[in-house]
Amino acid sequence: MAKPLVVVESPTKVKTIKKYLGDKYNVASTVGHIKDLPQKEIGIDIEHGFLPKYVTIPGKQKVIKALKDAAGDAEDIYLAPDPDREGEAIAWHTSEVLKKKGRRFHRVLFHELTKKAVTEALTTPEPLNENRYKAQQTRRILDRLVGYQISPILWKKVKYGLSAGRVQSVAVRMICERERAIFVFEPEEYWSVTALLEGAQPPAFSAKLVKKDDSKISISDGDIAAAIHQELADASYVVDKIIKKTVRRRPYPPFTTSKLQQEAIRKLRFSAKKTMTVAQQLYEGIDLGGESIGLITYMRTDSTRISAEAADEAKELILQHYGKDYALDKPRFFKNKNRTQDAHEAIRPTSVFHTPDKIAAYLSKDQLTLYKVIWQRFVASQMAEALIDQKTITIVAGKYLFSATGSTVKFPGFLTLYQSADDAISAENEKAKGLLPELSENEVLKLLALEPKQHFTQPPPRFTEATLVKELEENGIGRPSTYANILSTIREKGYVDMMKGIFKPYELGFIITDLLVHNFPDIVNVDFTAKLENDLDQVESAETNPTQLLQRFYEVFETRLITAAEEMLSVKGIGLPTGIKCPVCTQEVRIKVGKNGPFLACEGYPECTYSRNYERDEKGEIRPVEPVLELAEGQVCDKCGRDMVVKQGRYGDFLACSGYPECKNTRSVHANGKGNATGVSCPEEGCSGEVLEKRSKRGKIFYGCNRYPDCKFALWDKPVNRYCPDCGAPYLVEKETKKEGRMLRCATQGCGYKQFPDEQSDEESNLETVGKQE
């Protein structure tokens, strides 16, 4: 009898699972999704119940053949892709391609890759979960409807290659709205008064003025602060009350996906994408001296649930390493949010006895750092509460009341092992306050110093990756497993930039957000998007019919599409209004988008050719940037002999005669390099040149470095100034084939990354599956 086949999605898991199962099973991988909606068409029959048209993903024919060969005459196929919606879709499509008379399909869920978990899952298989598959398919259809139908409108009205999406557009809107809140923010002055006091026992301590005549005090300017200072200078300072209490601090629950991303960003300085990549490595298996073991449970989860066995194991370790004072009598379990995707546990170590110190030699630096945080957080969640002694002292000075607070750790409990990024900040703040002395009520204190200090209210902070992930999660936008790719996508599309760890919108981000808010208010509405996520949960729990959900969505969406196609303001054509008068003809200057991005141009074009780049001041007001005429060193006009100057035009910098308008001679700024600029820096190590478009002796276009013959870098395909998200190469190249059509692809040998124009807008096509595509 033929061996049963176990099908996983990642090739990395094959080796680990084969070691666990021995020769009793064959094991093969789908290498991610094998079917998807077609790339060159919408692939949805809207008129007939939104039926999707799935096709084999280009390049996956060999994978499917390998799966069929591995299955052979096997009667039992165990489908073990990841235990989530994306994994369910892969399992469903795999069952379709391996379908055979008399063959049985079983769904197995590996929540962790340990021998025990794998063997137990194979002995307790489940049927394929149709509702979970429908939830994935409904999300896929929604994203395709949005991406494939809004993006072409943006290409026509703004710029080719732009995209919109259910989640990415909301994320960009959040960043833009935060920036505008900063623009309009007006700081308000306020003052504080702090007294440095000393009692009979050291040390001296600081107390803050909090009340006047039993009411909370607010000091709005320096004159009021000076008057209060004068009143207090000769006042008597007497201890009013001393309040002591002990508070219990419970540990945090084990990580969910979003909480792991937030902590890794803040504490480890990882990006969200790097966090998920390293977590995937820890989940899929690490070779620990000849044995490959999955070190953590599945890393895409919204759940804080843990198994009783895991809690018991943690208690055993805590008793061994910390003693009974730090262990719990009964396991601590945490309540989950009411979310459907609670099929798996929180992110935790598969065995707490794989301590970070014990396995450090087998892990890379990044793997060890992330594993240590996961391990500590989980073990700490099963440790005793910390006991914190808090003391508040109030001091009366005439009609004024001062307050001083401090805290000390009475029993560290879980804090012995783990402190979050927030805990570390709180600890530093407490340390800065200093210890409070032992005082008694009615004790008279000595005033050592009295300091009035000016402050100003601060604008709302810009988003970091951590705070944006938190904002998305708290508002129910998207899935935490998609956040890493979304944060990468909005940067790659040129909508936002990250500067010193914070997000700032580019002008293109403002433009696209404003157009979408005006024409598709639902798509970029936080509440609407969150409700859609909840509806998808209800599809999985069989509470909502997917076809009816799609029909309700499309009834409104289709109307907006038709209107936007006709009425959306064309930034290519008429441009966006600015309220700024043209200095040449007094007509309005409008924002347009060209090859090099947004710029200002007179609405009187072509009669008036005034145009400028622009920037925004600290209040968000548009300010035209006047060009600085830079002399082109060593460049002389070959028509009149005057100096040439560098000017900026629609296609970038060019050389023009300084005698304009008498002499209108121009030439390429790269004329000496004998080629037109591509905007791509030469990738050769140590070369500071630029790649130019050139022609061979036979007239064929190719691309080479302008420092030739010192640098001989050259290629036939046109380079594009966009880095490869898979291997990090500094450029992609344009390519077109009869089979696959026009695309951008990575030129690095062995990378294989491809990006098709039609799929640039398909915002969440596989966002929940980091690394699932080839």
Side-chain angles (χ1 to χ4, degrees):
M1 181 180 292
K3 296 178 187 178
L5 174 66
V6 177
V7 180
V8 294
E9 65 184 79
S10 168
T12 311
K13 297 179 189 175
V14 173
K15 182 180 177 182
T16 303
I17 294 171
K18 275 185 176 179
K19 285 188 176 182
Y20 295 156
L21 301 180
D23 295 329
K24 295 180 181 180
Y25 296 83
N26 287 325
V27 186
S29 166
T30 65
V31 196
H33 284 273
I34 56 175
K35 287 187 175 183
D36 198 3
L37 299 174
Q39 295 167 342
K40 297 183 180 180
E41 58 179 292
I42 194 168
I44 299 165
D45 189 346
I46 297 171
E47 301 299 324
H48 297 89
F50 300 91
L51 290 175
K53 174 188 174 184
Y54 287 109
V55 297
T56 299
I57 294 173
K60 287 301 180 79
Q61 291 85 353
K62 289 182 180 180
V63 173
I64 292 173
K65 184 180 184 301
L67 288 171
K68 290 179 176 179
D69 291 343
D73 295 325
E75 294 181 357
D76 290 288
I77 308 293
Y78 293 87
L79 301 168
D82 286 347
D84 58 11
R85 291 175 187 168
E86 294 296 318
E88 202 66 38
I90 294 171
W92 201 274
H93 293 152
T94 304
S95 71
E96 291 175 347
V97 301
L98 296 182
K99 192 173 182 180
K100 191 175 183 180
K101 186 176 181 181
R103 179 170 281 172
R104 296 179 292 271
F105 292 94
H106 315 276
R107 181 75 166 107
V108 288
L109 305 175
F110 297 154
H111 298 291
E112 57 186 73
L113 289 186
T114 61
K115 187 171 184 178
K116 179 184 176 184
V118 170
T119 51
E120 284 183 356
L122 285 169
T123 57
T124 57
E126 305 174 0
L128 287 164
N129 190 322
E130 185 175 6
N131 289 324
R132 188 177 295 154
Y133 171 55
K134 285 180 177 178
Q136 187 276 345
Q137 182 172 263
T138 305
R139 181 198 63 77
R140 189 76 183 89
I141 292 171
L142 282 168
D143 292 337
R144 179 57 67 100
L145 291 172
V146 171
Y148 267 51
Q149 296 187 90
I150 293 182
S151 297
I153 298 175
L154 296 179
W155 300 349
K156 180 181 177 182
K157 303 286 187 176
V158 185
K159 183 181 179 182
Y160 181 78
L162 299 179
S163 69
R166 282 192 314 114
V167 178
Q168 77 167 49
S169 297
V170 175
V172 174
R173 181 182 184 179
M174 285 179 169
I175 294 169
C176 290
E177 288 187 344
R178 178 61 57 88
E179 194 70 18
R180 282 178 166 144
I182 295 170
F183 286 156
V184 301
F185 178 81
E186 294 291 344
E188 294 182 6
E189 180 184 8
Y190 70 98
W191 287 70
S192 65
V193 177
T194 303
L196 181 63
L197 302 166
E198 185 179 57
Q201 300 292 327
F205 66 100
S206 295
K208 185 178 179 181
L209 178 61
V210 292
K211 286 186 177 181
K212 178 183 179 182
D213 294 328
D214 294 327
S215 297
K216 184 177 178 180
I217 193 165
S218 177
I219 308 172
S220 58
D221 59 49
D223 292 339
I224 297 174
I228 292 172
H229 180 273
Q230 187 173 358
E231 286 186 67
L232 289 169
D234 300 321
S236 177
Y237 292 78
V238 180
V239 175
D240 179 38
K241 292 179 182 177
I242 301 173
I243 302 171
K244 297 180 180 180
K245 62 180 179 179
T246 299
V247 297
R248 295 176 175 271
R249 276 209 47 203
R250 287 169 58 90
Y252 293 99
F255 285 121
T256 61
T257 300
S258 68
K259 291 296 188 290
L260 176 62
Q261 290 174 356
Q262 291 172 48
E263 189 75 348
I265 292 164
R266 298 180 64 186
K267 201 170 188 178
L268 309 181
R269 298 294 185 261
F270 283 14
S271 67
K273 191 169 186 177
K274 179 178 180 178
T275 302
M276 295 306 292
T277 299
V278 177
Q280 181 117 12
Q281 295 165 2
L282 296 172
Y283 165 70
E284 291 187 342
I286 301 293
D287 190 338
L288 302 182
E291 183 182 10
S292 184
I293 295 176
L295 292 178
I296 64 170
T297 53
Y298 191 55
M299 65 285 161
R300 297 185 185 98
T301 176
D302 297 338
S303 174
T304 55
R305 178 174 60 81
I306 60 169
S307 67
E309 293 83 358
D312 290 341
E313 190 184 63
K315 180 179 180 179
E316 184 181 345
L317 178 133
I318 292 163
L319 285 169
Q320 289 180 16
H321 289 259
Y322 299 94
K324 64 179 182 180
D325 289 342
Y326 288 82
L328 301 174
D329 293 330
K330 294 188 297 185
R332 181 184 288 116
F333 297 108
F334 298 88
K335 290 184 179 180
N336 277 322
K337 293 179 180 179
N338 186 23
R339 298 293 291 265
T340 300
Q341 292 219 47
D342 186 31
H344 18 267
E345 295 185 51
I347 303 170
R348 62 167 177 82
T350 55
S351 172
V352 294
F353 291 106
H354 290 136
T355 63
D357 290 341
K358 185 177 177 181
I359 64 174
Y362 303 103
L363 303 179
S364 69
K365 182 181 177 182
D366 288 341
Q367 289 169 345
L368 177 60
T369 305
L370 188 65
Y371 179 72
K372 188 175 182 180
V373 170
I374 294 169
W375 186 90
Q376 289 178 334
R377 174 102 163 202
F378 170 68
V379 175
S381 76
Q382 296 304 307
M383 294 178 75
E385 297 169 333
L387 301 179
I388 312 295
D389 283 340
Q390 292 184 343
K391 183 192 288 186
T392 301
I393 302 173
T394 55
I395 300 106
V396 172
K399 57 187 176 182
Y400 296 97
L401 186 73
F402 286 78
S403 177
T405 60
S407 63
T408 56
V409 177
K410 182 178 182 180
F411 173 67
F414 74 93
L415 293 174
T416 302
L417 178 62
Y418 176 78
Q419 291 188 42
S420 71
D422 288 333
D423 290 331
I425 293 170
S426 298
E428 285 297 319
N429 291 338
E430 284 300 321
K431 187 176 179 181
K433 287 181 184 178
L435 294 173
L436 293 177
E438 289 298 323
L439 303 172
S440 57
E441 292 184 1
N442 299 317
E443 181 177 346
V444 178
L445 305 175
K446 181 181 179 181
L447 177 66
L448 301 179
L450 193 63
E451 182 190 15
K453 190 173 183 179
Q454 184 185 40
H455 309 271
F456 291 92
T457 55
Q458 297 298 306
R462 293 184 175 93
F463 287 110
T464 64
E465 276 202 339
T467 56
L468 184 57
V469 165
K470 184 179 180 181
E471 190 84 0
L472 291 168
E473 183 193 28
E474 289 180 348
N475 284 281
I477 305 299
R479 281 287 178 205
S481 52
T482 71
Y483 293 160
N485 277 18
I486 288 166
L487 300 189
S488 297
T489 298
I490 61 177
R491 292 173 66 187
E492 290 167 7
K493 293 294 181 184
Y495 297 148
V496 302
D497 188 21
M498 177 162 276
M499 300 173 61
K500 297 181 180 179
I502 59 173
F503 283 110
K504 287 193 70 175
Y506 282 125
E507 277 303 307
L508 193 59
F510 282 125
I511 291 169
I512 296 302
T513 295
D514 290 344
L515 291 174
L516 292 178
V517 168
H518 184 73
N519 294 276
F520 297 95
D522 295 338
I523 297 300
V524 288
N525 179 274
V526 169
D527 294 336
F528 179 83
T529 306
K531 184 179 182 305
L532 268 183
E533 293 296 336
N534 186 61
D535 290 341
L536 291 172
D537 287 345
Q538 291 186 343
V539 170
E540 182 170 343
S541 60
E543 298 174 63
T544 294
N545 180 285
T547 304
Q548 292 176 358
L549 166 61
L550 292 167
Q551 286 173 339
R552 287 197 303 271
F553 169 81
Y554 201 72
E555 281 176 5
V556 177
F557 181 63
E558 184 180 30
T559 302
R560 298 199 186 282
L561 277 174
I562 294 168
T563 304
E566 294 296 325
E567 298 181 6
M568 181 184 283
L569 199 60
S570 173
V571 186
K572 282 183 178 178
I574 191 171
L576 300 175
T578 63
I580 300 173
K581 297 296 183 184
C582 174
V584 176
C585 71
T586 73
Q587 296 186 75
E588 186 178 17
V589 171
R590 303 179 78 91
I591 295 174
K592 295 190 176 185
V593 176
K595 182 180 179 181
N596 295 309
F599 66 100
L600 299 178
C602 180
E603 67 179 351
Y605 180 85
E607 287 76 16
C608 179
T609 59
Y610 174 83
S611 67
R612 290 289 186 273
N613 287 329
Y614 69 95
E615 60 187 11
R616 292 184 185 268
D617 62 19
E618 67 278 1
K619 291 299 179 184
E621 297 294 330
I622 291 172
R623 296 285 181 262
V625 177
E626 295 301 323
V628 177
L629 295 181
E630 176 189 349
L631 285 175
E633 188 175 350
Q635 300 286 339
V636 177
C637 178
D638 52 9
K639 290 188 176 180
C640 72
R642 294 186 181 98
D643 290 330
M644 298 293 278
V645 294
V646 180
K647 289 190 174 182
Q648 214 174 42
R650 181 178 178 187
Y651 299 103
D653 291 349
F654 67 97
L655 298 183
C657 180
S658 59
Y660 181 85
E662 290 82 11
C663 178
K664 298 181 180 179
N665 185 28
T666 63
R667 64 172 179 257
S668 168
V669 75
H670 301 285
N672 289 346
K674 298 182 180 178
N676 295 320
T678 64
V680 176
S681 298
C682 180
E684 289 293 304
E685 188 174 351
C687 181
S688 60
E690 182 180 357
V691 178
L692 306 180
E693 179 186 300
K694 301 183 178 184
R695 286 187 181 272
S696 68
K697 291 181 179 179
R698 296 185 177 182
K700 187 174 181 180
I701 291 176
F702 73 100
Y703 301 87
C705 182
N706 68 341
R707 297 194 65 189
Y708 178 85
D710 296 329
C711 176
K712 294 182 170 59
F713 173 81
L715 70 167
W716 291 112
D717 298 322
K718 182 179 180 181
V720 177
N721 191 18
R722 187 178 301 173
Y723 74 89
C724 175
D726 282 3
C727 73
Y731 68 96
L732 302 176
V733 296
E734 289 185 3
K735 192 78 176 175
E736 187 166 357
T737 65
K738 289 182 180 179
K739 185 177 181 180
E740 296 182 289
R742 183 169 171 265
M743 72 183 95
L744 296 179
R745 68 173 179 83
C746 183
T748 304
Q749 189 172 3
C751 176
Y753 174 76
K754 297 177 182 178
Q755 184 183 48
F756 295 86
D758 290 340
E759 67 181 359
Q760 291 177 9
S761 60
D762 205 0
E763 180 248 311
E764 274 191 62
S765 60
N766 280 315
L767 292 184
E768 293 190 9
T769 55
V770 176
K772 288 186 179 178
Q773 291 293 346
E774 247 183 323

